[in-house]
Amino acid sequence: MTPLTQVNYQSKDLGHLGMVSAMCKELKIAETIDLAIPQSLDKKVSIGQLVVAMILNGLGFFSRALYLTPKYFADKPVERLIGAGISAEDLNDDALGRALDKIHEFSPTELYSKVAAGAVKALGLKSRSGNLDSTSFHTDGEYNSNETMDEDSKMVQVTKGYSRDHRPELNQIILNMITENQAGIPVFMQTANGNQQDKEGFQNIIKDHISELKNWTGIEYLIADSALYTYETIKKINDQHLFITRVPENIAEAKTAIIEASSSHLIEINKNYSYVTKSSEYGGVKQRWLVVKSKEAEKRDLIGVIKKFSDNSEKEQKEWKKLSSKEFACKEDALKEYQLWAKKLKFITVDKADVIENKHYANRGKPKNEEAPVKINYSLIGNCYCLLDTKKKLDECTGMFILATNQLDEASLTNEQILQEYKSQQTVERGFKFLKNPYFFTASFFVKKVSRMMALLMIMTLCLMVYAAIEYRLRQQLTTQGKTVLDQKKISTNTPTAKWIFECFVGIHVLILNGMQEMVLNLNDQHILILNLLGEAYREQYS
């Protein structure tokens, strides 16, 4: 038998990471970061290259902690992905920690804005609107939750607050984000204290960042949910930016507008949406309100209306039962308390309400003829009924919400466009859903310092940027060139998700012969079509 000898070749797993690396180069992520942050000449790997390594790790969907990065890259073609002369061992936790420290020292928000500005230019994005929202990320650690923070501190406080993850017992950190609505690219990110309210956070963003953001993105409209709509915030934003936001339904003017709209003739946009307009000067800002009715939302809301009416009518009936069993010293007291209580009724009414005498005698049983009572009290009687008119009004108001804008010129922004632009709020919500994916490496934090957690949130947002950019670029080219790819169900589509495209590249390897010659294995016609559509930089990664 011939003895085994070592053959001088290696196989490296390239997969979809070649596309991620190519997009990082196209967006000049490493280049921008290295220009912004001073570099130590004695370091083999630059801060920008370490950031790219963390993006590759994050978009590898293996949920690896940062200290396991060298292990993650052990079977990857590191030089091809990151740079010549770099090995997996160079991407150790000391180097990555150094990069995170430098990012925090510079300012994650400011550094991200520099990269985002380059990305918007590289992709040729000209978005009309930006979508503002926030989410929270929980952690098992205590961090600085028990410390008193200075107002001027560059460190956020990881502490308990309103938990979007339904884990109120855990400390958390907030991420505020603005995405443009053409490609879903995040153009702004900012970390905040775990207990910060959206109203406060949004107001600070408008005060400190919105003018600068408008200058380099060209975004006309800032879109947000009802947390943006406060007296103070809309006053501040009105002086420098146009907005489209949802009006909180607990505002008295909003309640009245919805009731009035429910009995008005609504203008139909499509089978699902119809609307009526109204002028408002809430907060001293002239606005156009769009009172919208959604048939899909109406179906959902009707279930809630039935429960609300049932619960509240039952509550008021119990109150009547308690009140009617109460005894009063005089008839006037009974009527006075009834009248005060009846003013609050919304779901029931009492028919033929009256006051009766209750005579109390010294002895039990039937009183003797002409026996005088020792005490006389008064109580209320009457029959209570549910107010079906109230139920009808609630039914009519289901599925209704109000959108507000300070753009009064309908020629510049039609009523239909207000709704269309607001629905793009789903782009930022999809971004947060992506970041909270359990396969994403930042789903749980594996860093010990708050400063590194803040920097890691910037890396996380960069991952979303690269993911959204690949998806946008491919969809754009498919549409422009009139081509399609096969989706999960083997159906042709020109709007594939980046995640599906990543899955299509599973099994692509690089064969390295004699430490020099490289061959990419297992490419098929669909892979080649996708790479040709994406461009030269992507073809080079797989050549």
Side-chain angles (χ1 to χ4, degrees):
M1 178 181 289
T2 305
L4 288 173
T5 58
Q6 185 176 3
V7 181
N8 194 11
Y9 66 81
Q10 287 180 302
S11 175
K12 298 288 185 179
D13 182 11
L14 180 59
H16 66 279
L17 295 182
M19 288 186 289
V20 175
S21 174
M23 182 55 77
C24 288
K25 291 175 183 175
E26 183 178 349
L27 302 182
K28 299 182 179 180
I29 292 175
E31 184 179 331
T32 303
I33 292 172
D34 289 341
L35 283 173
I37 298 177
Q39 306 289 310
S40 299
L41 297 176
D42 61 330
K43 300 299 182 184
K44 185 177 179 181
V45 189
S46 72
I47 303 298
Q49 288 173 320
L50 290 166
V51 168
V52 170
M54 286 186 273
I55 293 172
L56 290 164
N57 187 6
L59 291 178
F61 301 110
F62 280 96
S63 192
R64 290 280 180 91
L66 286 181
Y67 69 89
L68 294 175
T69 299
K71 186 175 181 180
Y72 171 74
F73 280 104
D75 66 340
K76 306 292 188 295
V78 178
E79 291 191 70
R80 179 182 285 252
L81 294 172
I82 301 174
I86 299 174
S87 66
E89 290 73 23
D90 297 324
L91 309 174
N92 53 65
D93 55 345
D94 288 338
L96 297 173
R98 170 172 58 87
L100 294 175
D101 290 340
K102 288 288 186 180
I103 290 169
H104 179 263
E105 184 181 326
F106 184 89
S107 168
T109 296
E110 186 178 340
L111 185 60
Y112 184 85
S113 295
K114 289 180 180 293
V115 177
V120 167
K121 185 177 179 180
L123 294 169
L125 299 175
K126 295 179 181 178
S127 299
R128 192 181 192 188
S129 304
N131 303 85
L132 170 64
D133 207 347
S134 70
T135 194
S136 60
F137 292 87
H138 63 266
T139 177
D140 296 322
E142 289 296 324
Y143 291 94
N144 58 357
S145 58
N146 298 319
E147 297 177 17
T148 302
M149 307 299 294
D150 296 330
E151 288 186 9
D152 299 330
S153 175
K154 292 183 179 180
M155 205 78 69
V156 301
Q157 187 172 30
V158 181
T159 187
K160 293 179 177 63
Y162 172 70
S163 176
R164 280 86 163 175
D165 300 330
H166 308 292
R167 295 297 303 273
E169 78 281 5
L170 296 178
N171 293 317
Q172 64 181 20
I173 187 171
I174 298 293
L175 173 64
N176 296 313
M177 193 166 72
I178 298 176
T179 61
E180 54 76 46
N181 67 355
Q182 186 177 353
I185 300 291
V187 293
F188 173 84
M189 62 77 56
Q190 182 189 61
T191 54
N193 296 336
N195 58 358
Q196 185 186 71
Q197 299 292 317
D198 282 355
K199 292 178 181 179
E200 176 191 354
F202 291 177
Q203 194 176 132
N204 292 337
I205 290 170
I206 289 162
K207 182 180 71 174
D208 299 333
H209 302 284
I210 200 67
S211 294
E212 181 185 350
L213 188 67
K214 180 182 177 181
N215 290 337
W216 64 262
T217 61
I219 288 173
E220 293 182 63
Y221 297 95
L222 184 67
I223 300 173
D225 60 21
S226 58
L228 184 74
Y229 200 86
T230 67
Y231 258 82
E232 297 78 9
T233 307
I234 61 173
K235 279 181 181 178
K236 288 181 179 178
I237 195 174
N238 187 56
D239 296 332
Q240 49 189 312
H241 216 284
L242 295 169
F243 64 79
I244 299 172
T245 182
R246 186 162 176 163
V247 179
E249 293 172 14
N250 58 356
I251 294 175
E253 187 180 344
K255 291 179 181 178
T256 303
I258 287 176
I259 292 170
E260 290 174 352
S262 66
S263 57
S264 303
H265 174 69
L266 300 177
I267 301 169
E268 188 177 278
I269 297 177
N270 52 42
K271 291 182 180 180
N272 187 37
Y273 293 103
S274 53
Y275 72 92
V276 65
T277 57
K278 179 186 181 302
S279 297
S280 174
E281 292 193 18
Y282 183 83
V285 177
K286 290 185 178 181
Q287 303 160 56
R288 185 168 25 134
W289 278 14
L290 200 72
V291 187
V292 182
K293 188 174 185 71
S294 164
K295 289 186 178 179
E296 287 184 8
E298 183 180 20
K299 292 176 184 177
R300 296 193 302 267
D301 290 351
L302 280 172
I303 299 171
V305 163
I306 294 170
K307 187 176 188 307
K308 179 181 179 180
F309 187 80
S310 175
D311 291 349
N312 284 282
S313 59
E314 185 179 349
K315 179 184 175 183
E316 289 183 353
Q317 287 177 54
K318 287 179 179 178
E319 289 175 358
W320 167 246
K321 186 176 180 180
K322 184 178 179 181
L323 184 62
S324 61
S325 64
K326 185 177 179 180
E327 292 188 332
F328 298 87
C330 63
K331 185 175 182 178
E332 289 74 18
D333 287 349
L335 286 172
K336 184 179 180 181
E337 185 154 345
Y338 168 75
Q339 289 165 356
L340 288 172
W341 173 77
K343 286 179 181 178
K344 302 175 185 178
L345 292 179
K346 293 181 180 179
F347 299 90
I348 69 167
T349 186
V350 179
D351 184 42
K352 296 180 181 179
D354 202 357
V355 181
I356 58 170
E357 287 185 347
N358 298 316
K359 297 178 180 179
H360 299 273
Y361 294 90
N363 301 309
R364 293 183 180 181
K366 186 177 180 180
K368 297 178 181 178
N369 291 336
E370 298 180 357
E371 182 182 356
V374 294
K375 185 171 67 170
I376 298 177
N377 292 112
Y378 299 87
S379 61
L380 295 159
I381 60 168
N383 299 315
C384 64
Y385 299 95
C386 292
L387 290 170
L388 295 180
D389 285 346
T390 300
K391 172 69 166 54
K392 184 180 178 182
K393 287 178 182 178
L394 288 172
D395 288 346
E396 290 172 348
C397 293
T398 55
M400 302 193 81
F401 58 93
I402 302 175
L403 301 178
T405 181
N406 56 344
Q407 173 57 276
L408 305 179
D409 182 12
E410 287 192 39
S412 299
L413 182 72
T414 66
N415 295 322
E416 290 80 3
Q417 286 173 334
I418 293 174
L419 177 61
Q420 182 182 349
E421 293 288 343
Y422 181 76
K423 288 175 71 177
S424 70
Q425 186 70 1
Q426 295 171 359
T427 60
V428 68
E429 292 168 359
R430 281 198 300 269
F432 287 140
K433 184 179 180 181
F434 168 83
L435 297 177
K436 287 173 178 282
N437 190 308
Y439 293 105
F440 198 57
F441 85 110
T442 46
S444 298
F445 292 108
F446 297 97
V447 290
K448 295 181 179 179
K449 295 163 64 176
V450 175
S451 59
R452 292 185 178 183
M453 187 184 295
M454 294 169 66
L456 193 59
L457 279 164
M458 192 208 82
I459 305 296
M460 171 184 70
T461 314
L462 284 173
C463 289
L464 175 57
M465 173 194 287
V466 172
Y467 178 91
I470 292 172
E471 186 172 274
Y472 169 74
R473 172 57 57 76
L474 181 57
R475 289 181 174 185
Q476 181 191 47
Q477 291 301 312
L478 284 168
T479 302
T480 302
Q481 299 189 31
K483 297 184 182 297
T484 60
V485 294
L486 296 178
D487 66 10
Q488 297 93 318
K489 298 179 180 179
K490 305 295 183 183
I491 298 173
S492 296
T493 179
N494 61 0
T495 57
T497 65
K499 191 170 189 303
W500 167 242
I501 297 302
F502 288 177
E503 289 177 11
C504 290
F505 275 72
V506 171
I508 305 299
H509 286 73
V510 177
L511 181 65
I512 305 171
L513 301 173
N514 300 319
M516 296 177 62
Q517 187 178 358
E518 296 185 2
M519 297 175 62
V520 177
L521 307 178
N522 304 325
L523 286 175
N524 60 32
D525 291 342
Q526 176 145 304
H527 296 140
I528 293 169
L529 169 64
I530 290 168
L531 296 172
N532 284 331
L533 288 168
L534 289 172
E536 181 62 30
Y538 302 84
R539 289 194 293 270
E540 286 182 5
Q541 279 290 338
Y542 291 86
S543 64

